Amino acid sequence: MSEVPSENAEIEDEVIDTEAPLPLDAWHRARGARMVAFAGYAMPIQYEGIMAEHLWTREQAGLFDVSHMGQVLFTGEGAAQALEVMLPGEIQALKAGQMRYSLLLNEEGGILDDLMITRRADDLYMVVNGATKYDDIGTFRDELPDAVTINFLEDQALIALQGPKAVDALARIVPGVEALFFMQAAGFAWHETPLWISRSGYTGEDGFEISVPADAVVALVEAIAAQPEVKPIGLGARDSLRLEAGLPLYGHDLDENANPVIADLTFAIQKRRRAEGGFHGAETILHQLAEGAPSKRVGLTVAGRMPVREGAKLYQGDALVGTVTSGGFAPSVNAPIAMGYVTVNLAIAGTALEAEVRGKRVPVTVASMPFIPHRYHRKGAAK
């Protein structure tokens, strides 16, 4: 779901030719952010350095601008039921304030995007990836019945506050957010500005995502960034954080060639949907759930210090057995790690493989994900 430039350790300056600037563009530049073109916008890739920003987020609280992502509302009779044709998750049973990770599928079950969807009092609120948002909206408009109204929230900004001290910082500004648990959301107000806040994120840490009117976002981030636990963080560290957390990146680890089984995202298909089907690609997906898929997304640890990056081929002996889809140095692990696809018989933790990097073979080992424990604030978890 997180959308960031991959290959974070080898960032080069580039000419930025983008759409209209996002609401926080000047704010980032005033703080010395290094800006790059991404998803049609100029985005901050780093401020003081990717490693320092990554470790700060793991230890304190990092503030991210994710306003390039798409925010969409669905209203009308039967909206949840209609969306279940395109999403394999249980949408109809969502309670108010409950959110769910899901996948937008093509007719064959390939993944068009990954997303978050939340039930609100009078609508369904969805966040989709920035590079795919216009295609996603077009797909929804083509496939959903006329009774369902789609509203693209172009005047809303989106920010994320992630890290173990995120709750301390945000609760001083917006009292009551501490009562939320992971994957819960609710409406709040800050100086009469309406906010929609979820306890969610894509770093493996506790944290929040905040939808705020674009004309109020600068004032809000100023208030958040003034807290002692908080520093602004660029998209480079967001990439390394999500990789350590074992979270896939659309356009790299996920695309139309992968379905939820191959991508190891079967948790996104709840019990009723498995029993009833009725979603795009259900015949193939449910068959692979029962009988197995030809390949699977896995984690990889890397011998030595050389990063293994996207596109590297994976071998067992002379046999080509897979491809790396994300990779880089993991600051919290203090070692290079990667993610990729291998034939299913090799998708077992401890399997020894080799990655081809610049004409040389580098030993890698299939590993369980996440690479670092998730620290979500779950309901019912022991304190």
Side-chain angles (χ1 to χ4, degrees):
M1 177 65 206
S2 171
E3 195 180 19
V4 292
S6 62
E7 315 310 323
N8 58 73
E10 295 182 358
I11 298 165
E12 298 180 357
D13 291 319
E14 53 185 295
V15 176
I16 301 176
D17 182 14
T18 66
E19 300 177 8
L22 292 169
L24 289 170
D25 185 272
W27 191 87
H28 298 308
R29 295 177 191 275
R31 280 149 190 79
R34 184 175 169 191
M35 307 294 284
V36 298
F38 180 69
Y41 301 98
M43 300 291 293
I45 196 73
Q46 65 181 55
Y47 296 83
E48 59 181 289
I50 291 172
M51 183 173 291
E53 293 169 29
H54 176 114
L55 294 174
W56 180 271
T57 303
R58 288 272 182 251
E59 297 165 4
Q60 300 282 336
L63 179 62
F64 301 84
D65 180 10
V66 287
S67 296
H68 63 298
M69 300 182 80
Q71 301 178 68
V72 189
L73 294 183
F74 300 87
T75 55
E77 185 175 355
Q81 184 176 0
L83 283 167
E84 285 188 354
V85 176
M86 308 168 73
L87 314 179
E90 169 68 87
I91 309 303
Q92 294 184 65
L94 285 175
K95 298 177 182 178
Q98 183 180 6
M99 63 189 305
R100 178 155 285 156
Y101 175 87
S102 197
L103 304 160
L104 176 61
L105 304 179
N106 65 21
E107 291 186 355
E108 291 73 40
I111 300 172
L112 293 170
D113 201 3
D114 63 337
L115 54 90
M116 289 287 190
I117 184 166
T118 309
R119 167 78 70 183
R120 307 202 306 184
D122 300 312
D123 54 44
L124 290 161
Y125 167 78
M126 182 184 291
V127 178
V128 300
N129 283 306
T132 59
K133 61 187 177 185
Y134 296 115
D135 288 339
D136 291 356
I137 291 168
T139 299
F140 287 125
R141 286 176 174 159
D142 288 343
E143 297 197 28
L144 291 175
D146 292 341
V148 178
T149 299
I150 304 167
N151 184 15
F152 177 33
L153 303 181
E154 296 183 86
D155 296 327
Q156 289 289 116
L158 189 67
I159 58 174
L161 186 64
Q162 299 284 290
K165 297 186 179 179
V167 63
D168 301 322
L170 190 59
R172 289 189 208 108
I173 300 165
V174 188
V177 295
E178 68 278 5
L180 294 174
F181 289 97
F182 180 59
M183 300 298 274
Q184 287 186 336
F188 294 86
W190 175 74
H191 293 281
E192 300 184 353
T193 298
L195 307 176
W196 181 255
I197 302 178
S198 62
R199 199 158 192 172
S200 62
Y202 221 69
T203 61
E205 295 293 335
D206 185 23
F208 303 86
E209 293 194 341
I210 306 162
S211 178
V212 52
D215 59 6
V217 68
V218 171
L220 179 61
V221 298
E222 287 280 10
I224 295 173
Q227 304 307 306
E229 303 91 345
V230 178
K231 287 185 178 181
I233 308 296
L235 295 181
R238 189 170 169 87
D239 189 35
S240 57
L241 289 159
R242 69 90 194 168
L243 180 58
E244 285 184 344
L247 301 171
L249 174 64
Y250 192 81
H252 300 268
D253 312 299
L254 304 178
D255 57 28
E256 292 186 65
N257 295 314
N259 66 33
V261 184
I262 294 171
D264 195 30
L265 296 173
T266 55
F267 72 88
I269 311 173
Q270 282 74 41
K271 184 177 180 180
R272 177 179 67 82
R273 306 310 314 279
R274 297 184 186 211
E276 296 179 3
F279 51 87
H280 288 338
E283 183 177 355
T284 297
I285 290 168
L286 295 178
H287 174 78
Q288 291 185 358
L289 269 172
E291 303 296 332
S295 60
K296 185 179 178 182
R297 180 175 63 92
V298 297
L300 299 162
T301 55
V302 181
R305 306 292 285 180
M306 179 182 292
V308 173
R309 302 203 176 277
E310 179 179 357
K313 302 299 182 184
L314 295 169
Y315 291 87
Q316 187 178 60
D318 293 330
L320 177 63
V321 296
T323 305
V324 172
T325 53
S326 287
F329 187 79
S332 301
V333 178
N334 195 31
I337 58 174
M339 188 185 298
Y341 286 85
V342 299
T343 53
V344 71
N345 60 304
L346 301 176
I348 301 167
T351 300
L353 302 172
E354 292 180 308
E356 189 170 84
V357 180
R358 298 173 184 171
K360 298 181 179 180
R361 295 286 184 92
V362 176
V364 300
T365 304
V366 175
S368 299
M369 293 190 288
F371 296 95
I372 55 106
H374 290 169
R375 295 197 284 185
Y376 303 135
H377 187 65
R378 297 184 183 275
K379 191 172 185 178
K383 296 184 179 179

